[in-house]
Amino acid sequence: MAEIVIDHVTKRFGTFTAVNDIDMTFADGEVACLLGPSGCGKTTLMRMLAGLEKPTEGRVLFGGKDVTRLPPRKRNVGMVFQYPVMYPTLSVFENLELPMRYDRSVSSSERKRRVEEILDVLDIQHLSRAFIDQLDAGNRQKVAVGRAVVRQSEIVLFDEPTTNVEVNAKLQLIRAFKQVTRRLRQTIVYVTHDQTEAMTLADRIALMKDGRIVQYDRPHVLYSQPTTEFGGWFLGNPGMNFIPASIANGQISAPILGRPVKAPATAPSGKITIGIRPELVRMTGQPSDMSVPAKLVDQAIGIAGRYLTKAAIGETIVKVNTEGRPPAGLGETVHLTAPRDRLTLFAEGERVPFAFS
């Protein structure tokens, strides 16, 4: 078992708290991504898992064993960093084999089998005899990934391994990474600030902000059911619309709703915020019972058949991602509808757990 337990871990550097009382578990055999903006604490948390930093408070357990004070070499984890460290005088095959050379439990034939398996999974068999200096950045990072997993340690840590790889090579590396994780089923923690990587690779995503985990769930849940305004804003390109609203006398009023609608008894009174994804807002050229009139205030930008634009309902700006061109031109009137069952309500930045009737 390679379950990772982070037991109320805090890390301070002087008066600055980089990681603040994180208490969570990464399940055995899953790929977990630590996702968040720069400075949110994800790399510090990764370094504590690796043993490169010690927690100020709390414990780290691997498979039930307390490893909090163990040095990296005694944790039996594989690691891949932004800048791969490899031996230029050795071939790709030799670099992959090296982590197993001094493990007496692995025979020479088994070493060869494992290396050939990794070469096959990463689709770099043709580079097995090449030297590291002959490889581009993408293939070097493939070798770094291979070297981290070839030992078959139960846990592998990745610290933004695609940051310094150009776009095409990054896509190839992500595909290779998915092949490796699918084949070997190691417990993997992957740090990234790139939401596309996280949504593509992860079984679960830990979304971080200000040293805390604000939500930990499957990618589609984080996207469709964010528990905070931060999550709605950070995930998505662009992020959620946040529309000012209010609840009074059991009624919710907001520009996107047109007429007030009934609020559940559990909903708070006062100012709230309605969140809705741009692709869920419907834009038409003709009014309907549920629509509100708006004016197009931004040129539509087309990407792969979808068009991103903005419309104003009075002073409220709504981002809309339409399938096909908008039904009107800049400055003209359109009609927006927000499906009630796809709206999320937030109070003081936190999701209010109820659904519209």
Side-chain angles (χ1 to χ4, degrees):
M1 185 178 73
E3 177 184 78
I4 299 173
V5 175
I6 303 168
D7 181 18
H8 292 284
V9 165
T10 294
K11 179 62 179 181
R12 300 187 189 94
F13 296 95
T15 59
F16 174 70
T17 301
V19 171
N20 191 354
D21 191 31
I22 289 181
D23 183 39
M24 65 180 305
T25 298
F26 296 131
D28 177 32
E30 284 197 338
V31 179
C33 278
L34 300 178
L35 174 67
S38 296
C40 70
K42 57 187 184 294
T43 295
T44 301
L45 180 57
M46 169 73 80
R47 288 175 63 82
M48 287 189 286
L49 296 180
L52 300 172
E53 297 282 355
K54 299 294 188 294
T56 306
E57 299 171 9
R59 301 184 304 159
V60 175
L61 297 92
F62 291 169
K65 178 183 178 182
D66 189 339
V67 300
T68 310
R69 302 300 165 187
L70 290 183
R73 67 181 184 278
K74 293 187 177 181
R75 296 194 180 201
N76 189 30
V77 297
M79 300 177 64
V80 182
F81 300 98
Q82 292 182 28
Y83 301 96
V85 178
M86 283 172 285
Y87 298 91
T89 58
L90 300 180
S91 69
V92 168
F93 189 100
E94 291 167 330
N95 266 278
L96 290 172
E97 185 187 32
L98 190 62
M100 301 178 288
R101 290 291 295 272
Y102 302 101
D103 186 345
R104 295 181 180 178
S105 66
V106 183
S107 66
S108 59
S109 60
E110 175 63 9
R111 291 201 305 266
K112 182 179 179 183
R113 187 198 66 79
R114 291 189 190 181
V115 171
E116 288 178 345
E117 178 185 30
I118 292 298
L119 289 169
D120 178 58
V121 172
L122 296 174
D123 194 25
I124 53 174
Q125 307 96 320
H126 60 293
L127 298 174
S128 65
R129 298 304 170 189
F131 289 94
I132 297 302
D133 289 345
Q134 298 173 292
L135 306 182
D136 60 26
N139 281 319
R140 286 186 189 184
Q141 202 63 299
K142 280 188 178 182
V143 177
V145 170
R147 199 171 63 177
V149 302
V150 74
R151 289 170 51 203
Q152 299 186 0
S153 53
E154 293 181 323
I155 294 170
V156 186
L157 309 177
F158 291 83
D159 187 10
E160 305 203 60
T162 67
T163 297
N164 300 294
V165 179
E166 57 94 12
V167 175
N168 288 336
K170 178 182 288 193
L171 294 174
Q172 293 176 11
L173 188 58
I174 290 172
R175 280 196 293 269
F177 178 84
K178 291 197 75 170
Q179 289 284 348
V180 168
T181 56
R182 191 179 297 122
R183 178 89 62 97
L184 300 180
R185 299 305 303 167
Q186 293 159 308
T187 301
I188 289 171
V189 181
Y190 189 103
V191 167
T192 182
H193 63 272
D194 185 330
Q195 60 174 285
T196 302
E197 277 189 18
M199 298 291 283
T200 302
L201 294 173
D203 294 313
R204 295 182 187 273
I205 296 173
L207 182 61
M208 293 190 69
K209 180 189 179 191
D210 298 332
R212 291 183 178 273
I213 305 290
V214 298
Q215 190 171 357
Y216 181 53
D217 216 318
R218 299 195 178 278
H220 73 275
V221 175
L222 260 74
Y223 187 81
S224 62
Q225 301 172 42
T227 58
T228 62
E229 285 188 34
F230 169 75
W233 166 79
F234 189 79
L235 289 172
N237 188 20
M240 260 186 173
N241 288 295
F242 296 107
I243 299 166
S246 62
I247 298 180
N249 302 318
Q251 298 286 312
I252 302 175
S253 300
I256 195 71
L257 296 176
R259 59 180 181 270
V261 298
K262 183 179 179 181
T266 55
S269 296
K271 293 183 178 180
I272 59 169
T273 301
I274 287 179
I276 185 167
R277 295 283 178 193
E279 64 272 19
L280 298 177
V281 180
R282 299 171 190 157
M283 177 185 289
T284 61
Q286 300 296 323
S288 67
D289 290 342
M290 304 290 285
S291 69
V292 295
K295 182 176 291 187
L296 281 185
V297 294
D298 197 11
Q299 294 283 2
I301 301 172
I303 302 175
R306 298 196 68 91
Y307 288 79
L308 177 64
T309 188
K310 295 177 182 177
I313 308 172
E315 296 183 354
T316 301
I317 303 298
V318 180
K319 297 169 290 188
V320 187
N321 194 339
T322 64
E323 186 172 355
R325 291 184 177 277
L330 189 64
E332 296 180 344
T333 298
V334 293
H335 297 269
L336 305 182
T337 305
R340 303 293 192 262
D341 61 342
R342 305 305 296 272
L343 300 178
T344 304
L345 263 62
F346 300 95
E348 298 182 351
E350 302 290 327
R351 186 175 72 196
V352 179
F354 73 81
F356 285 93
S357 58

